[in-house]
Amino acid sequence: MYERKESCLLKQTRWSLVPTCVVVVLITTGVLAQNNLAFAPDKMDTILYGVAYYPEYMPYDRLDKDVELMQKAGITVVRVGESTWSTWERRDGEFQFAWMQRVLDRLHQAGIKAILGTPTYSIPTWLYKEHPEILVTHNGTAPPLGDPYSPTYPPSLTPGNYGPRQNYDFLNPYFRQHAERVIREIVGHFKDHPAVIGYQIDNETAPTSIPTQYTNAAFLERLKQKYKTPETINKIWGLVYWGQLADKWEDLPPRDGILNPGYKLEWENFQHDIVTDYLAWQAKIVNEYKRPDQFITQDFSGGVHTNLDQWAIARNLDIVAENPYFETQKRLDARGIWLSGDLGRSLKHTNYLVTETNAQTIGWDSRTQYPQYPGQLRLVVYTHLAAGANMVEYWHWHSLHYGQETYWKGVLSHDLEPNRTYAEVSRVASELKRIGPELVNLKKDNKVAILFSADSANALSYMPFSDHANYMSILRQMYGALYELNVEPDFVPAGDANLSRYKVLLVPPLYSASDEVLQQISDYVKNGGQAVMALKSGFTDEHSTVRDVILEISRHHT
Amino acid sequence: MYERKESCLLKQTRWSLVPTCVVVVLITTGVLAQNNLAFAPDKMDTILYGVAYYPEYMPYDRLDKDVELMQKAGITVVRVGESTWSTWERRDGEFQFAWMQRVLDRLHQAGIKAILGTPTYSIPTWLYKEHPEILVTHNGTAPPLGDPYSPTYPPSLTPGNYGPRQNYDFLNPYFRQHAERVIREIVGHFKDHPAVIGYQIDNETAPTSIPTQYTNAAFLERLKQKYKTPETINKIWGLVYWGQLADKWEDLPPRDGILNPGYKLEWENFQHDIVTDYLAWQAKIVNEYKRPDQFITQDFSGGVHTNLDQWAIARNLDIVAENPYFETQKRLDARGIWLSGDLGRSLKHTNYLVTETNAQTIGWDSRTQYPQYPGQLRLVVYTHLAAGANMVEYWHWHSLHYGQETYWKGVLSHDLEPNRTYAEVSRVASELKRIGPELVNLKKDNKVAILFSADSANALSYMPFSDHANYMSILRQMYGALYELNVEPDFVPAGDANLSRYKVLLVPPLYSASDEVLQQISDYVKNGGQAVMALKSGFTDEHSTVRDVILEISRHHT
Amino acid sequence: MYERKESCLLKQTRWSLVPTCVVVVLITTGVLAQNNLAFAPDKMDTILYGVAYYPEYMPYDRLDKDVELMQKAGITVVRVGESTWSTWERRDGEFQFAWMQRVLDRLHQAGIKAILGTPTYSIPTWLYKEHPEILVTHNGTAPPLGDPYSPTYPPSLTPGNYGPRQNYDFLNPYFRQHAERVIREIVGHFKDHPAVIGYQIDNETAPTSIPTQYTNAAFLERLKQKYKTPETINKIWGLVYWGQLADKWEDLPPRDGILNPGYKLEWENFQHDIVTDYLAWQAKIVNEYKRPDQFITQDFSGGVHTNLDQWAIARNLDIVAENPYFETQKRLDARGIWLSGDLGRSLKHTNYLVTETNAQTIGWDSRTQYPQYPGQLRLVVYTHLAAGANMVEYWHWHSLHYGQETYWKGVLSHDLEPNRTYAEVSRVASELKRIGPELVNLKKDNKVAILFSADSANALSYMPFSDHANYMSILRQMYGALYELNVEPDFVPAGDANLSRYKVLLVPPLYSASDEVLQQISDYVKNGGQAVMALKSGFTDEHSTVRDVILEISRHHT
């Protein structure tokens, strides 16, 4: 039965041509999971279907009307609370819960579940006033490639601006102290609320990469712990080059102008670990309060990220969440949705959540706004489910009347009245009410995997080999070839010890890899696996240092 | 008789095809205005025709020769003194007048009138040495659109560079103190000089948009006065979004990284008001001295500006001035000249001055230098007059031998000898001597208007809807359609209560508008007016907040 | 005999079509120079042929193997020691010589000569730690042209980043103090080593152009010495423009935002002189130690430089060195190599060295890596020699395993084993062993010269006349025309008094020139010379001030 579903769903990857296949899906019969006291990502009752909801953003009080409309549509879950620290804590240490109590009570009354977010992605104005050094300037652009004279990072002392979100120093102790308090207050207050099924910690967290006094100190401490003596990094990074040996730890210069690929790769991994540690720290706090049946998740912006260690982050979560947005109308292409789903599912090798996806048009400006054609929204829901999602939530319920995202429209438009999208959501909700229990907890047993190496992507970005191609473009090329063949892959991180469960392993440029990683692939091939390795693989070791010997990967001929 | 002139001049908008129409103009007979003791922009004696003149810039003393050449050409007016604060005040508090006395006396002797400028657009080196914080870094580029992560303004603490002009903090008290003193000294000294017919305050003034300690303080004070409590801006700007509520005024973050459209629009209007107030302040000082027959003007760089409130500035002037430059040779196109003239005339709904326009080639470099064809310079003069100009002055008399503008040539080239341009100027001057009194004080009674909303242009720039079009491009499209039809429009600012004098109202995207402004248009249509409104009109209110109701504009069917 | 060589070598400029011409070269017989106790650039014994060699960069100790391979190939010279200050001086004041002693001894044992470099292009980490202000931020991009509002220089207070090389303040006293000590220690220690035939001071030295406290002070002092009173610069630069007169020296603003072309040109010349003085200072120190038979050189990155006074630098050197890199495969074009050679030879009007050129692929990334075709490397060696080079050294012996230049490959690849390139090097070395003494000290007596004016190139860059052409593009156009005609030119700097030795003088836009320079050209033409002057010549004087009289260049009709 499962096989049959998979087969059909794989055909569906070309559904822009064969959308009727959805119907076939609907008549399959799935495994009905039982509710358990302890949450498990693959033991959910049914597909959850809902929206992010910000009653605090509304131009006037419409809680009752909104919940009635949701209930009428058949929405079963909403995400609340993650965006508005200053509503939770208007003044330093003065917390307000009544506004959310009212929302959760009303939702509960309507039988709608809630995912409660920690509101840490944007700090309140009073905290900025007290500690402006919490913020760092974040210009949102990747360091320029191949222009090594250019300072690739903003100088440490650039003051941060208030206004953007997610531009704080994760290691700033004042930020941590205030973040911890607001998390404890919120989760402690609402943990027993019957509507709350889980928690989202932070939101699309990503490193700033900006050197600060705290990150610089922590980086030095990391080096001391990891490499014991400066002599070690002198050796493995080759600091003798251009006469840049560090005789004492204190002599090591900060990240700002560094060109050394080994240093840069270590810094990048340090940035990964900052985010992982930060989310683990939030998860640990929430874990002190949450009920066993509640989960902790965190939402990745859709797809594969080279500036995060997504597998490490996932280990701190009960269930992974993805925010896959997509193009619409004639540009609708399931490839990005599938890639995001395959990644989300692979991170814990089980089912995952979709916490955000298009309701109507998206974008921070209205230059590329194309409302979806009738039916496209429904088609996309079943695509998510086919990849293993156990929930689909739109961002968001209503359209905003102020702020940066007035063009990023919700299920309701600015007039806040039911519309075509609302009708399509209602139709899908009604279908899921019926077949959700059969589609939930879908299992995959893929035989092809793509080996992902963030280190290789980053190390290659310091030493690019083309203006037209890079690590990610080759990964996407490999993924696209599988997609065209209707073959669903898993993603495995470089260093994963379980390669043997796959028949074929695709390896985008494995530019930076330890001997151990190369040995794993060699063993995999020796044991009958088929590996397709891209150019530049094995070029450097885990410190981005070029090898002076050529390692031989075992060859297996079929 | 007036009707006949208008008709002909309108035909002339296509004069690149029908230049002979100029001849027709020459044989019409105008209204001969009488001289009055009190200056009025529409009661001037004749067309003034002249140049900006900087004897202090010359490589050697040529005052007598220059004035002789001017006199021989028939030039009747020069603008002097606005560029050289350090010549007026070589050391802090030590003023020099003799150099200008000699110039004005010599001009008066030759029967040439003078417009005396206040020299405030560039501060002297000693003032920068004393107060370097007066200067702000001005990189001359517009904030990037649609890239909201990018800090849209330079951080407040960037030190200003000496070298560019118009890069000072208008609100710096030391700047104001020194500016006031030099204005009082100059105007007080020369107010009774018979050659001086008026004053130009500052030059092409525009806001820097850069946050400084003084602008930040003034902005906060403005908010307090205007909105009384932070709760009001929390509400109207939606600061709840991303948790950015301000509980106390002091918590409100500075402009630097702000993404909130309401905040940005208020800041933009604040920048407008800084310039308006600054010019009103200069006008007030000059008014304490000037004779009733003297005027105060200020020169706008040609055309419509979204970073100024040009109507508000005009209310502080006796007569408006424009600096319309244009392309030459085959690229000569009257559209820009007309637009500039229609705007200049509309600002006070009366005649205006042209203080600067091309003599020979223009540009800060020589990449696009095309000397005009014979006759083009003359053609342009009559175009200006046809739009309602009562004066045409070239920038400038001679070409510069140093500084940034050596390629921006005057009537005389670097050899400072009479040439082809001098000959054409002489011809025009001789014509104007004869017919100037008939062409002066031309009145217009246009039946079409374009409604201009700087707020809409700015608010849309924060939330762009296209890579190819924006507020100004649509405005120019509308203007161009009228131009092709030989229909001259007026410009009216959004909020103008006198729409009823027009038969047709063209409305470029009125993205940001108060209910009152929308009501005025609705009433206008109800009363029989024809309004053509562009896309995105009525989308947001005056705070750039999206409306949740659709306002209905009355429809009048003809 | 000489004539015959020249003729043939000129033909060889088209060798991409007629590569067999090399054979013809090989059978000519040259003048065999005698060895002298005192070094003279045109009295060398034979062609030197070798590599830059960094044993300190190797992943493991291979000194013996490397030298054996070099010896076997026939390499006769290596450059050592210029890249690794921190290896020489690991801690402040603690010097290490043993590592280099071992290298030089081993080379001497193998009969290979050494050029010893001063290691000043990159400071050690401990020096940065002690004096971070030594470094200045160097973004590697030229100041934007034609956008005068843009601050053309980074603000003085931008902190420098550690990581790039050649980004220090040449005038920082702590840098000078430490640089002097390390130079004295190294040269003092090894001056008597029999392997050492000469010294390279610094490496591809170029000005940072960044204002610092020390450069600002030195610039002011220069102005005082040169112009005596501020009144002089007020006059010659026209500081009256925009009211920027300086009444006292202290009032003169720093370079940061300056738009005045005269100021900018003086600053540019000041930057030239900083580099010249710095290299003269290094040469003076080395001269205190070196033996008469040893030379001092400095390597210019290949070609003509507008940010240096290369002739002035050359006066402080015993012999000039060039680093001409080139494109390979089908893009191989001798034009750039010739230009570099003609320039290198012209700087002291005698033979020169090639200290760096391609071994295998080059580039800081691998986007444009094209290994040379078989034979191209050999062809290029003879091209260098034909232009007057007395040495050809590759950069470098081995390929790097870390740092910025892992793609910039040496004779050996990353596996450090002999390869195709090694074989071609061996072949050339064997040829040179035989015919080197005949090809060395080649003399040229060119009859055509190109007059080079860095002032004109720089002054025009502030006032560009085209988006498509500039000083250098016209210079290259002139050079290219000669190249196509098989005519080899010399370069002469503007102001050179010996124009009469040339029959034809090509003058790229001589935009900025003193009366004296123009008079020299006029006299040259009067005396029968043929001058071809490009547009914009004579436009401004040596202060970038536009002339108000047209100077007449004598015309000589043939």
Side-chain angles (χ1 to χ4, degrees), chain B residues 1 100 109 147 156 184 229 283 287 374-375 390 396 445 466 530:
Chain B
M1 180 182 63
M100 182 57 80
Q109 185 196 347
D147 180 12
S156 309
R184 288 191 183 279
T229 69
N287 259 315
N390 273 354
H396 40 140
D445 186 23
S466 165
Q530 308 276 345

Side-chain angles (χ1 to χ4, degrees), chain C residues 234-264:
Chain C
N234 284 334
K235 182 76 183 165
I236 59 177
W237 294 351
L239 295 182
V240 64
Y241 174 73
W242 290 1
Q244 304 190 336
L245 293 168
D247 190 61
K248 299 192 295 292
W249 282 116
E250 308 85 72
D251 286 351
L252 194 75
R255 171 64 183 83
D256 308 72
I258 292 301
L259 299 178
N260 184 282
Y263 188 131
K264 286 200 270 192

Side-chain angles (χ1 to χ4, degrees), chain C residues 322-511:
Chain C
E322 290 273 322
N323 296 344
Y325 289 94
F326 54 89
E327 291 197 281
T328 51
Q329 296 190 2
K330 288 186 182 169
R331 298 188 184 184
L332 178 56
D333 182 339
R335 196 178 303 203
I337 298 171
W338 269 114
L339 190 151
S340 178
D342 287 338
L343 190 277
R345 189 190 62 242
S346 296
L347 291 176
K348 292 182 81 74
H349 218 72
T350 185
N351 302 91
Y352 68 99
L353 308 176
V354 170
T355 28
E356 299 184 14
T357 191
N358 317 40
Q360 296 191 64
T361 56
I362 62 169
W364 278 21
D365 53 58
S366 78
R367 286 179 288 198
T368 54
Q369 294 205 313
Y370 304 100
Q372 70 276 14
Y373 292 147
Q376 287 192 327
L377 192 144
R378 174 170 171 260
L379 204 52
V380 167
V381 168
Y382 290 106
T383 309
H384 289 310
L385 302 186
N390 273 354
M391 175 176 92
V392 175
E393 266 185 345
Y394 296 105
W395 201 86
H396 41 136
W397 170 243
H398 61 287
S399 300
L400 295 168
H401 297 81
Y402 29 59
Q404 188 60 56
E405 291 163 306
T406 56
Y407 290 141
W408 204 304
K409 293 174 75 184
V411 172
L412 305 186
S413 295
H414 289 114
D415 63 356
L416 304 172
E417 295 296 331
N419 57 16
R420 172 164 74 83
T421 299
Y422 178 81
E424 192 162 328
V425 166
S426 301
R427 177 183 170 191
V428 174
S430 137
E431 292 170 359
L432 290 178
K433 187 173 180 185
R434 184 160 51 86
I435 60 170
E438 310 200 33
L439 295 180
V440 76
N441 307 320
L442 189 70
K443 286 200 183 339
K444 297 276 176 179
D445 185 23
N446 291 329
K447 291 304 172 200
V448 176
I450 294 178
L451 188 101
F452 178 70
S453 163
D455 278 1
S456 293
N458 290 310
L460 260 181
S461 78
Y462 318 140
M463 302 300 288
F465 59 89
S466 166
D467 286 328
H468 310 294
N470 57 28
Y471 181 87
M472 284 303 294
S473 71
I474 295 179
L475 181 148
R476 277 190 290 263
Q477 215 173 357
M478 288 176 159
Y479 188 87
L482 296 177
Y483 179 82
E484 291 299 320
L485 292 165
N486 275 343
V487 175
E488 278 184 279
D490 287 352
F491 284 93
V492 293
D496 186 297
N498 296 314
L499 301 179
S500 59
R501 61 184 162 202
Y502 300 105
K503 286 188 180 160
V504 176
L505 188 67
L506 301 189
V507 186
L510 192 61
Y511 176 77

Side-chain angles (χ1 to χ4, degrees), chain C residues 307-323:
Chain C
N307 63 343
L308 295 173
D309 185 343
Q310 295 183 276
W311 278 267
I313 292 170
R315 281 192 287 274
N316 297 290
L317 308 175
D318 296 308
I319 187 164
V320 159
E322 290 273 322
N323 296 344

Side-chain angles (χ1 to χ4, degrees), chain B residues 56-60 83-87 90-91 121-126 128-129 137-141 158-159 161-166 364-367 369 395 400-407 414-416, chain C residues 145-146 148-151 153 155 157 231 234-247 250-251 253-254 256-261 264 460 462-467 511 536 539 544-548:
Chain B
E56 67 273 27
Y57 284 1
M58 302 300 272
Y60 50 89
S83 290
T84 40
W85 187 336
S86 68
T87 302
R90 185 65 171 274
R91 283 168 291 275
Y121 74 63
S122 174
I123 67 169
T125 55
W126 53 259
Y128 173 66
K129 178 77 181 176
T137 287
H138 182 229
N139 68 7
T141 55
T158 304
N161 288 331
Y162 191 90
R165 54 184 179 177
Q166 284 152 325
W364 277 22
D365 54 57
S366 79
R367 287 180 286 197
Q369 295 206 311
W395 202 87
L400 295 168
H401 297 81
Y402 29 59
Q404 188 59 56
E405 292 164 306
T406 55
Y407 290 140
H414 289 115
D415 65 354
L416 305 172
Chain C
L145 300 183
Y149 265 132
S150 153
Y153 280 78
L157 53 69
E231 200 45 49
N234 284 334
K235 182 76 183 165
I236 59 177
W237 294 351
L239 295 182
V240 64
Y241 174 73
W242 290 1
Q244 304 190 336
L245 293 168
D247 190 61
E250 308 85 72
D251 286 351
D256 308 72
I258 292 301
L259 299 178
N260 184 282
K264 286 200 270 192
L460 260 181
Y462 318 140
M463 302 300 288
F465 59 89
S466 166
D467 286 328
Y511 176 77
K536 292 282 180 195
F539 204 83
S544 202
T545 295
V546 179
R547 296 175 190 279
D548 61 342

